[in-house]
Amino acid sequence: MFSLLHLALRNLFAHRERVLLLLGITAAASGVIVAVSSLAAGVATAQREAVTTFLTGDLNVGGFFKVHPDSIAPVVGDAGKVRGVLEPQVPQGCYLRERGRSFALAGAGRRRTGSFLVGMDVASEKNSLARFRVASGRLEDLARPRTLAVSTTLAERLKVKTGDLATLFAQPVGGGRRNALDVEVVAITEKAGLLGESAGLLVSNETLRELDGFKPGSAGVLQVVCGDTPVDVDALGTSLRDSLRGAGFDVLPAANQSYAEKQMLLLREGWRGQKLDVSTWEDESSFMSFVTLGLTALAVLVSLVVLVLVVMGLFVALSVAVRERTREIGTLRAMGMQRRGVVALFMTEGLLLGFVGSALGVVVSSVLCVTLRGAVPLHEEISNLFFSGTLPLTPNLGLCVLAVVLVTLGAGLATLIPAARAASLTPRSAMESL
């Protein structure tokens, strides 16, 4: 084995020009795979951060309440009892927070615009507030009653700035005339991708309850937030559903839909009262999954195309090399090397080329991704789609190892037929070519 490896290395050094060309091909292939995969991973990370900042926890326990069959509100009436069931099961390293859910029409002068309204417990969410990007004002001022934070997109539509007054309109539980509440704009948040319009209004939970007419002690949703703590949210969700059912609550079955999508479907049903719903962050952001799924599909497609091109390029180059090395192959056969030895020699050369070239490409591409991460500004439409104002690139060790393995295997596959062709040469044909 050692002598075979030594012979393969000597042959590679003897054909340096061709080897450098093939190393460049394999390095470029692995570099492209890492770059595209890093972009897909970076967008997925940015999307999750935006979604878990504005809309959802890692796991959510919300509910729907129907005063009569023709109206529905996204609220948990007896939040204290639900919290009592949840708190013993919150994993270590995670915590429970309360958020409000609603939809409101915001007005300033003659201008009107609608958006989902998010309620926050400002006093207990100081760590979460730091994750919002604020263009002007202070989110901490939401602790004051009748105050509002608005996204830059909605602020431009309403022509408001911090310190201005706006009016929120919302339909109270049970229908009837719309409630109206004058609020002071205390902060303007920067865009968060596609969420700039779907979660553009932030208020305190108390202001949301006053606007929607919810009773004290009610909550829109209780969210389990785990940050970097690894948690199996699907298993935890199943456990919480069982516990809530055991405590006497009517709990909806699991469904990969956001609460707004479920609310539209439940509005058509004829029941009254309270039903709880347990959802993951992926359920709540399912309406945006086309972004990450599309980029993942693009990364797979690009990787396949690159691998096919690498295999074809190496196959052609190695086929030419076999013809050029007929004398060498024949001499080795005449000296007693068996056909399996010739195949193993060419396969070793191909695998070495694939491994060294792909490893170089992965290193260079990873360094470039880390260097360019957060340094390349994006156009507005692209930044909305990518949930980031700069190019989000997140290379990771798993993707790098996968790129090296795929390109090395591709190089080995490309070598297979030329190696078999070389092994088919007889010592006599080599002697005739001398």
Side-chain angles (χ1 to χ4, degrees):
M1 183 65 188
F2 180 77
S3 59
L4 187 65
L5 183 62
H6 181 265
L7 188 58
L9 288 172
R10 194 190 65 178
N11 288 336
L12 291 176
F13 278 111
H15 304 86
R16 285 187 289 276
E17 291 183 0
R18 182 172 60 241
V19 168
L20 287 175
L21 174 64
L22 296 179
L23 283 177
I25 293 174
T26 52
S30 60
V32 170
I33 292 175
V34 169
V36 176
S37 302
S38 298
L39 177 61
V43 172
T45 302
Q47 179 179 333
R48 176 170 183 169
E49 183 175 348
V51 169
T52 54
T53 298
F54 279 88
L55 291 182
T56 172
D58 294 276
L59 198 70
N60 309 276
V61 180
F64 300 96
F65 194 87
K66 300 186 79 168
V67 177
H68 55 73
D70 297 329
S71 70
I72 188 168
V75 64
V76 179
D78 193 353
K81 186 177 178 182
V82 175
R83 182 184 286 273
V85 176
L86 301 182
E87 283 181 335
Q89 298 192 59
V90 175
Q92 190 174 7
C94 305
Y95 66 95
L96 206 59
R97 75 183 180 193
E98 178 187 330
R99 286 283 180 93
R101 291 170 166 176
S102 185
F103 185 87
L105 188 67
R110 294 183 178 181
R111 291 171 288 275
R112 299 284 187 276
T113 186
S115 175
F116 283 99
L117 183 66
V118 177
M120 303 178 63
D121 184 357
V122 180
S124 63
E125 282 202 47
K126 293 181 179 178
N127 292 334
S128 299
L129 294 182
R131 299 176 62 185
F132 287 88
R133 290 181 295 168
V134 180
S136 64
R138 298 173 68 251
L139 285 177
E140 289 79 1
D141 290 340
L142 287 175
R144 290 192 280 120
R146 298 192 176 185
T147 51
L148 169 72
V150 61
S151 70
T152 52
T153 303
L154 300 188
E156 290 170 1
R157 288 183 189 173
L158 296 172
K159 305 295 182 187
V160 296
K161 59 182 182 303
T162 54
D164 289 348
L165 290 179
T167 303
L168 296 177
F169 304 91
Q171 197 73 37
V173 181
R177 297 183 60 182
R178 288 193 306 181
N179 286 339
L181 196 66
D182 290 331
V183 292
E184 178 190 353
V185 178
V186 295
I188 295 177
T189 57
E190 292 186 354
K191 296 175 181 176
L194 299 177
L195 295 177
E197 297 182 21
S198 59
L201 301 172
L202 302 175
V203 297
S204 67
N205 286 328
E206 291 73 18
T207 300
L208 187 147
R209 277 192 282 265
E210 181 183 1
L211 177 65
D212 281 347
F214 295 155
K215 68 178 184 179
S218 62
V221 58
L222 297 173
Q223 298 178 340
V224 179
V225 182
C226 297
D228 295 330
T229 303
V231 173
D232 186 345
V233 292
D234 292 321
L236 181 59
T238 301
S239 175
L240 292 183
R241 284 189 195 91
D242 293 340
S243 298
L244 290 168
R245 288 179 180 129
F249 291 102
D250 188 355
V251 183
L252 294 170
N256 184 226
Q257 296 172 313
S258 68
Y259 87 90
E261 293 171 314
K262 293 173 184 172
Q263 186 172 334
M264 293 299 294
L265 296 174
L266 293 172
L267 180 60
R268 303 169 189 169
E269 299 180 2
W271 52 271
R272 297 170 186 260
Q274 177 81 74
K275 288 190 177 183
L276 298 184
D277 177 50
V278 180
S279 61
T280 67
W281 72 271
E282 290 174 314
D283 297 333
E284 296 296 338
S285 60
S286 59
F287 64 99
M288 296 185 299
S289 59
F290 70 94
V291 177
T292 50
L293 290 177
L295 283 174
T296 302
L298 177 63
V300 173
L301 180 63
V302 169
S303 300
L304 288 175
V305 171
V306 167
L307 282 174
V308 169
L309 292 176
V310 166
V311 170
M312 292 178 64
L314 289 177
F315 173 76
V316 172
L318 293 172
S319 296
V320 172
V322 168
R323 285 200 296 270
E324 292 178 349
R325 294 167 61 184
T326 300
R327 293 183 178 180
E328 173 190 339
I329 296 166
T331 303
L332 291 173
R333 294 280 289 120
M335 293 173 64
M337 179 175 277
Q338 300 298 313
R339 295 182 189 276
R340 288 183 301 177
V342 175
V343 171
L345 176 62
F346 273 80
M347 290 294 293
T348 303
E349 292 180 17
L351 292 173
L352 282 173
L353 278 172
F355 177 74
V356 175
S358 60
L360 286 173
V362 163
V363 171
V364 172
S365 183
S366 299
V367 171
L368 282 176
C369 286
V370 172
T371 304
L372 297 177
R373 182 172 53 194
V376 180
L378 299 175
H379 193 269
E380 181 178 349
E381 285 73 17
I382 300 297
S383 69
N384 286 338
L385 192 64
F386 286 0
F387 295 88
S388 173
T390 57
L391 194 62
L393 296 168
T394 309
N396 64 62
L397 183 60
L399 291 175
C400 293
V401 172
L402 181 62
V404 171
V405 171
L406 287 177
V407 174
T408 302
L409 289 178
L413 182 64
T415 314
L416 196 59
I417 294 178
R421 191 173 298 162
S424 65
L425 294 174
T426 61
R428 180 177 179 181
S429 64
M431 297 305 294
E432 290 175 350
S433 64
L434 288 174

